[in-house]
Amino acid sequence: MRRSRCFVWTCLALLAALCAGCPSASRSAAPAKAQGPKDGAVARGSARIQGVNLNDPIRPAADDHAIALGAAKNEWASFAVQVSGLPKGGGGKVAYSFRVQAPRMETENRTIDLENLSAEQILPMPVDVNRAGFVRHTGLSAGNRPLPRALLPVPMDRGVVNLSAVRDPANPTDPKARPTGGEPLLFWIDLRVPPQTPAGEYVTTCELLASDSPAPLASVPVKITIYDFVLPDERHLQMTSRLGWDDLKRLWPEQFETVRPQLVTRADPVYAPTVGVLDSLVRLAQRHRTEVVVPRLQPTVKWPTGRPPQIDWSDVDTVIAPWLSGDAFEDRIPLNYWPLPAVDYLDRFDRRSQLQYWTAAATHFDQKEWLNRSPVAFELSVPGRAGMAEALQMSADAAQLLKAHPKVRVTLPLEEDQVRVASKNDPDFVDPATGARLLAASPGIIFNTPIQKWPAGQPAPQKWLRTDVPGLVQYVGAGGDERDVRVWAWLAFRNGASLVQWGSPLPRTGAPSDWADPSDLVWFYPGSWFGADQPLATLQLKWLRRAQQDYEYLWLARTRGEALNAMMVARLMTKPVEIQPGQAPDPAYALMTGTADPAAWTDGQKLLAKIILLREPGQNAERAKADELNLQLLRWVAPQDKALLMGRTVDWGFAPGSDKLLNVILGIDVYNASDTRPDQNRLQWTVPPQGTGWEASPQPVALPALATYHVDRFGAQAKLNLELLNAREHRPVELTFTNGYTNATSKLQLVLPAAASDRLGPGLNIKDGKLDDWDAADQVQAGPLVRMFDRPALQKQQLRLADKPAAIYTGWGDDKFYVAFRLAGAGGAESKSTRNFVDYQFRRAWGEDLCEILIQPIMDDNSMGPVLHVVCKPSAGHWVERKRDPKVYADPWQPLEGIPILYTARNEGEWTGELAIPWRAITDQEKVRPKMLRFNFVQHVHSTGQSASWAGPVDFGRDDSFMGLLYLRESTDPGMAKMPAPAE
């Protein structure tokens, strides 16, 4: 393996540039001009059946390419198709259907039986994606729109689906609504590959049929590669979620409203409806290689005075026994994680009684041979990371449980370095020798450097992965896509975790017409919402199954001796970020994590299959085969292994001894996902700031070694001569980072604007919101602003501009600073808002059309005053605040009172506005005018969710670390005529 790994990195140093430019095959590529039946979809008329790409969570993209799949034996393989162009009105007496032929081996007369195929119609559900988190994470537009989510099973008779019996997607919840030919129909096709299927290339065809035509109206080929290895039945990664009793009562009131959970039993027909709902949810999850737990199912307990609790397990055992034995499931695979049930109000009893209950529960589950799957699960009092006091208390309580029963296991919501271990001075904490019976929380995708390690020579705790830690985790949910879910399985493998716990699998909305939060990851919808008897699976549940199967691929690669290659692929898929001691966990780091490129996931999965196939367990790989795989890994690794760059700070200051020459220092964050520590790295200006007055050396600057998963900040310097400043057009600058080990380059573009703001002449009237009295000499922006960070653009190192142009004007007088603007894109009902506050999501001003102005004064001695933040709305409302000392104020942004700021606006086709800001509001001093202003201007367009800034890209409008510059130019400066102050 050492030779293999060394070979990869040696080649990487030679070929990185070539590989970075290699295009990846993807379904989104332009279709070939000529396609035969085996190459792509064909059609004889307007009706079509095509493969569907679900990478875009808003608009599924159908194309004419052949559908290509790869799957192991005993794996669920899936694809989606779209039927469109059917006659409107249903086609009269003509019946339409589509058929999937039995997959046939290309080289032999072998097929996969049609009974292994199943179909579900993909139905849209309302999701409110007008959320800052959604736009920031996906780079897509916002809005309220139905997204493909629910999966309604449709009968498939020998591979044929009758389209006249499917649901109208325009009325997804009406069981009587039938398609009228107006909207495309989407279908999800599952293929369960039998374990005995011979490996090889298989082909099949999806055909659109009409009852009045002997030949198919349209078809699309499906190519399936069956790999020569078997996915294990056993789940080596448990993907689990908890069914809350309150959610069950809300969504199934008839079955749960009046039911006491400790009395539910299979022995009493009265509880049959309740048990039926639970069975359907547990089975549906298990069929998708996931699990759900019902924590409120519990025994009946009596607490006699002075004696141990008396526990009756007879009822609850009848409910959970079929799940824990596997008898309830077709494949007979039991649930592998079911925490010991905690009875209601257990926390109100004394500690001795609690331990007696847990000991009795552990003994009962041990007799049933369930205890190895049923730990005692601790919960935090509030979501998030445990504080020191709570971690100490949990450690002491866990130690008591581990001592009370020799086989009991404990799940703690504490990371390993938070668990307090026993010592001579503190004997009441966890005995490190019992570490194997602990499940500690694994670090998330953004994690802190551990402050201590588990004692050497003692068994370390097992790991489980939390998905509920706010702020430091990947944004994931209904607004995301398959990759956002899959990344957790790859992270679990990288971190050595065997369990991933998700939030509630049920919708938080009360009705199918309610707009859902895109942060919700919904596994099931109630069947009653759609007129169905059984709960419906969701697209997200299919993503979870794909994620679990991903983990089994990684597990197989490790068992076959390819742990390093499997870990390398997992590392580059997840790209975690390690927060070093003393480093603040910047939320912007989450944009660097994971892999946003769909092609990288597709190609990475194929490579993982080849890694598994490289050799059998315990065997040596053929040298030629290993070298070929290493070259393929090289081509995939090169673009994924590049450093990511992000502009984060700009410092503007006078050079020593000068009031005209500025030193400009641009702070660049560099993230390294590579497991090498590249040294002798270089950072250089490749496109320096343009315009007279700028000076930036093109010579590269040497940077120190980069550590894996670290984000390090480095400076790029330039100079600016204010006497020569005449820039009106702000073109992007570019910096290039060069990896000293591989010579691979990463390019960063950003806009670093600097402009002169002149003393204004007489006649300025800002009381009407018109811009008639401003001219081109006052303009500091003409054209699109720079869009804020989003995850795909950052990972592509791509600078994106706003869709609409903006014009910004500035000027000043003795008493005030003036700003005017013209903004396209604002308007409609949203612009009529009269809110007297500003809503923030993910630190971004949100929820209405608005613009933000950020100002900080720079004095002659390089000292800086407070940061002023002004939010303007089309309705002429505005909000003003200043940033105070964060050491004094919990929220440093405090409203500015007592200093009136005049703002007028007009909204006639486009939004124009003018502001007069007293210098006192900017400098916090009377009659004091600064030499320069750090300045930024941000526009947010509510209809699209697009936010863009003058200097940028930035992650939020109040980011005072990255701002442009306005030089307050006097009329006596070179090239300026003497002008009187404007009329107030």
Side-chain angles (χ1 to χ4, degrees):
M1 192 64 235
R2 276 197 199 105
R3 179 195 172 279
S4 170
R5 186 186 182 91
C6 197
F7 179 81
V8 169
W9 290 113
T10 301
C11 292
L12 181 62
L14 297 173
L15 301 177
L18 173 63
C19 295
C22 292
S24 298
S26 70
R27 292 275 314 276
S28 60
K33 294 183 178 179
Q35 291 179 328
K38 293 185 178 181
D39 300 321
V42 295
R44 293 192 287 114
S46 59
R48 307 185 71 82
I49 184 168
Q50 301 166 289
V52 176
N53 188 331
L54 294 171
N55 286 326
D56 186 330
I58 293 180
R59 287 173 287 271
D63 61 48
D64 287 332
H65 287 85
I67 299 169
L69 306 175
K73 303 173 186 181
N74 200 36
E75 180 179 348
W76 289 92
S78 307
F79 61 95
V81 295
Q82 174 180 287
V83 175
S84 60
L86 296 180
K88 292 187 177 180
K93 296 182 179 180
V94 179
Y96 294 91
S97 60
F98 78 82
R99 175 176 62 199
V100 183
Q101 302 279 11
R104 174 179 49 82
M105 197 173 187
E106 285 190 319
T107 58
E108 298 181 29
N109 187 23
R110 293 175 179 267
T111 61
I112 299 176
D113 290 342
L114 288 170
E115 64 183 19
N116 294 293
L117 287 166
S118 58
E120 294 159 290
Q121 186 181 2
I122 306 174
L123 297 176
M125 295 295 289
V127 179
D128 177 13
V129 295
N130 194 356
R131 308 290 180 108
F134 172 85
V135 174
R136 181 176 178 268
H137 185 70
T138 65
L140 301 172
S141 296
N144 291 349
R145 67 193 78 202
L147 302 188
R149 283 295 174 261
L151 298 175
L152 181 66
V154 294
M156 178 176 268
D157 182 13
R158 300 297 298 168
V160 177
V161 173
N162 182 1
L163 294 178
S164 63
V166 302
R167 193 69 56 90
D168 181 2
N171 297 286
T173 60
D174 183 358
K176 298 180 180 180
R178 295 291 175 259
T180 60
E183 291 192 28
L185 305 174
L186 297 178
F187 297 93
W188 182 274
I189 311 297
D190 271 335
L191 170 64
R192 176 66 181 272
V193 182
Q196 68 275 14
T197 305
E201 300 296 328
Y202 289 73
V203 293
T204 184
T205 307
C206 294
E207 299 171 326
L208 181 59
L209 309 175
S211 60
D212 64 344
S213 173
L217 301 181
S219 65
V220 59
V222 182
K223 302 178 180 181
I224 310 167
T225 301
I226 304 298
Y227 304 125
D228 195 13
F229 58 88
V230 181
L231 222 60
D233 283 327
E234 180 185 358
R235 281 66 153 156
H236 294 95
L237 175 68
Q238 315 309 318
M239 307 278 275
T240 185
S241 182
R242 300 193 302 175
L243 288 168
W245 201 260
D246 289 339
D247 288 335
L248 292 168
K249 289 196 297 184
R250 175 172 54 83
L251 298 172
W252 286 273
E254 293 183 8
Q255 293 87 349
F256 290 90
E257 183 67 44
T258 60
V259 172
R260 295 177 62 191
Q262 58 266 46
L263 299 181
V264 177
T265 176
R266 295 181 187 271
D268 189 341
V270 172
Y271 295 101
T274 302
V275 174
V277 172
L278 295 176
D279 271 339
S280 62
L281 294 171
V282 173
R283 286 172 181 159
L284 188 55
Q286 193 272 354
R287 188 169 183 265
H288 288 83
R289 300 181 69 95
T290 63
E291 299 179 0
V292 291
V293 174
V294 190
R296 288 293 303 282
L297 289 178
Q298 57 190 278
T300 300
V301 183
K302 295 181 180 179
W303 301 85
T305 303
R307 288 187 294 164
Q310 297 178 2
I311 308 174
D312 182 358
W313 294 94
S314 58
D315 288 337
V316 69
D317 278 357
T318 67
V319 179
I320 66 175
W323 305 336
L324 296 180
S325 66
D327 292 342
F329 312 123
E330 293 179 7
D331 59 8
R332 316 294 290 182
I333 303 299
L335 301 187
N336 205 45
Y337 183 79
W338 191 277
L340 287 175
V343 294
D344 292 343
Y345 312 117
L346 181 61
D347 58 334
R348 299 183 183 180
F349 289 87
D350 61 87
R351 187 60 184 162
R352 180 171 175 270
S353 298
Q354 292 177 16
L355 290 173
Q356 287 175 339
Y357 169 78
W358 287 123
T359 301
T363 299
H364 176 76
F365 270 60
D366 191 26
Q367 293 170 350
K368 294 285 186 178
E369 298 183 348
W370 299 338
L371 187 57
N372 63 331
R373 293 173 277 161
S374 300
V376 178
F378 281 50
E379 295 184 18
L380 294 171
S381 56
V382 294
R385 183 179 170 89
M388 181 178 294
E390 192 165 17
L392 290 174
Q393 185 62 55
M394 281 191 173
S395 298
D397 292 345
Q400 291 178 336
L401 276 170
L402 293 169
K403 292 176 182 177
H405 193 285
K407 294 184 180 180
V408 78
R409 298 163 68 234
V410 175
T411 299
L412 288 175
L414 308 175
E415 294 182 20
E416 186 178 295
D417 66 336
Q418 291 181 290
V419 179
R420 185 70 173 268
V421 297
S423 64
K424 291 182 179 179
N425 296 328
D426 295 307
D428 295 331
F429 291 112
V430 175
D431 182 351
T434 63
R437 292 194 281 140
L438 273 182
L439 283 85
S442 168
I445 203 160
I446 298 180
F447 63 97
N448 296 299
T449 300
I451 57 176
Q452 65 181 11
K453 294 184 179 181
W454 198 257
Q458 300 293 346
Q462 300 177 54
K463 300 290 193 303
W464 68 280
L465 193 57
R466 301 177 61 187
T467 62
D468 66 334
V469 183
L472 292 183
V473 296
Q474 184 96 347
Y475 177 84
V476 62
D481 56 30
E482 182 181 282
R483 302 180 299 278
D484 293 335
V485 175
R486 294 173 67 183
V487 72
W488 290 94
W490 296 72
L491 181 64
F493 180 82
R494 195 207 75 85
N495 290 357
S498 59
L499 172 73
V500 180
Q501 287 200 7
W502 302 87
S504 172
L506 297 173
R508 287 192 294 165
T509 53
S513 58
D514 294 344
W515 292 95
D517 188 330
S519 64
D520 293 339
L521 186 67
V522 179
W523 299 22
F524 321 109
Y525 288 118
S528 59
W529 284 9
F530 303 87
D533 295 333
Q534 298 294 316
L536 270 59
T538 67
L539 216 55
Q540 291 95 323
L541 187 57
K542 303 294 184 181
W543 299 343
L544 286 162
R545 183 182 64 190
R546 177 66 266 164
Q548 202 286 326
Q549 293 181 150
D550 285 352
Y551 187 93
E552 301 300 343
Y553 272 62
L554 292 161
W555 180 85
L556 282 170
R558 182 173 59 197
T559 60
R560 296 194 177 197
E562 292 295 322
L564 288 179
N565 275 334
M567 187 62 73
M568 177 180 66
V569 178
R571 167 176 55 79
L572 294 176
M573 286 294 202
T574 55
K575 296 186 177 72
V577 173
E578 182 177 4
I579 304 299
Q580 304 164 60
Q583 184 180 18
D586 191 334
Y589 294 161
L591 299 173
M592 299 174 172
T593 62
T595 298
D597 182 11
W601 282 93
T602 301
D603 296 341
Q605 186 77 21
K606 293 177 181 177
L607 280 172
L608 194 53
K610 292 180 179 180
I611 291 172
I612 297 170
L613 293 169
L614 185 61
R615 53 177 164 173
E616 294 293 334
Q619 302 294 318
N620 293 324
E622 297 178 16
R623 179 169 179 175
K625 192 175 179 180
D627 287 349
E628 180 184 357
L629 176 60
N630 284 333
L631 285 173
Q632 293 174 354
L633 278 168
L634 164 68
R635 295 188 179 94
W636 182 85
V637 164
Q640 309 306 321
D641 210 37
K642 284 186 175 182
L644 285 179
L645 278 59
M646 180 187 291
R648 299 300 287 141
T649 63
V650 187
D651 291 330
W652 308 84
F654 290 106
S658 173
D659 63 351
K660 297 298 181 183
L661 185 63
L662 296 185
N663 288 328
V664 184
I665 303 176
L666 179 63
I668 304 295
D669 279 355
V670 180
Y671 169 66
N672 174 43
S674 173
D675 64 352
T676 62
R677 296 176 62 92
D679 203 353
Q680 300 180 355
N681 308 298
R682 304 180 297 279
L683 182 68
Q684 66 185 119
W685 295 95
T686 44
V687 179
Q690 304 293 306
T692 306
W694 281 99
E695 180 184 342
S697 173
Q699 298 301 317
V701 176
L703 301 182
L706 303 180
T708 306
Y709 306 140
H710 285 192
V711 178
D712 295 302
R713 184 163 295 174
F714 303 104
Q717 299 188 17
K719 294 185 180 297
L720 176 61
N721 189 330
L722 295 176
E723 289 186 322
L724 302 178
L725 181 62
N726 64 358
R728 298 291 178 187
E729 181 180 359
H730 312 294
R731 297 180 181 178
V733 303
E734 181 182 274
L735 294 102
T736 298
F737 171 86
T738 303
N739 184 306
Y741 181 63
T742 64
N743 281 328
T745 59
S746 302
K747 296 183 182 296
L748 172 68
Q749 287 189 322
L750 45 83
V751 174
L752 187 64
S757 182
D758 297 326
R759 179 189 284 273
L760 296 175
L764 179 66
N765 178 15
I766 69 165
K767 296 182 180 180
D768 57 4
K770 296 182 179 180
L771 305 186
D772 298 344
D773 36 9
W774 295 87
D775 57 36
D778 306 315
Q779 197 169 38
V780 299
Q781 171 70 25
L785 299 169
V786 183
R787 288 176 62 170
M788 284 190 183
F789 285 123
D790 64 68
R791 183 166 163 265
L794 174 64
Q795 294 192 5
K796 292 179 182 177
Q797 300 284 235
Q798 181 183 66
L799 185 73
R800 303 175 67 190
L801 301 180
D803 293 338
K804 302 291 185 178
I808 305 172
Y809 305 83
T810 69
W812 57 275
D814 287 337
D815 297 321
K816 294 183 175 69
F817 175 69
Y818 300 90
V819 180
F821 55 84
R822 176 184 289 109
L823 303 175
E830 295 86 357
S831 66
K832 308 299 183 182
S833 170
T834 57
R835 290 186 194 173
N836 60 355
F837 64 92
V838 182
D839 182 30
Y840 291 94
Q841 295 181 12
F842 279 78
R843 305 186 295 178
R844 298 186 182 186
W846 205 260
E848 56 186 321
D849 288 320
L850 52 82
C851 68
E852 302 173 80
I853 300 168
L854 206 63
I855 302 172
Q856 185 177 30
I858 303 178
M859 313 308 289
D860 292 347
D861 59 356
N862 275 342
S863 63
M864 291 187 289
V867 180
L868 181 73
H869 180 238
V870 183
V871 181
C872 300
K873 306 182 180 184
S875 60
H878 66 290
W879 179 266
V880 186
E881 57 187 356
R882 269 204 305 223
K883 190 174 185 180
R884 303 292 187 177
D885 187 350
K887 296 179 180 178
V888 178
Y889 294 87
D891 180 3
W893 293 101
Q894 297 293 315
L896 177 65
E897 298 174 348
I899 306 177
I901 292 176
L902 179 61
Y903 165 56
T904 57
R906 298 173 68 89
N907 187 16
E908 299 174 353
E910 57 184 4
W911 174 18
T912 60
E914 297 175 295
L915 294 98
I917 306 173
W919 285 118
R920 182 186 167 198
I922 296 173
T923 65
D924 207 20
Q925 302 179 59
E926 291 283 0
K927 300 295 183 181
V928 174
R929 190 174 70 249
K931 189 73 172 180
M932 303 180 295
L933 297 175
R934 298 179 75 231
F935 180 84
N936 209 357
F937 184 99
V938 175
Q939 180 189 8
H940 172 68
V941 181
H942 176 70
S943 61
T944 63
Q946 205 173 101
S947 300
S949 60
W950 185 57
V954 295
D955 194 25
F956 59 105
R958 291 194 293 189
D959 184 0
D960 57 318
S961 297
F962 193 102
M963 300 169 68
L965 182 82
L966 292 178
Y967 167 47
L968 303 180
R969 188 163 57 184
E970 289 277 6
S971 58
T972 55
D973 287 348
M976 291 292 296
K978 178 71 175 177
M979 291 188 295
E984 298 290 341

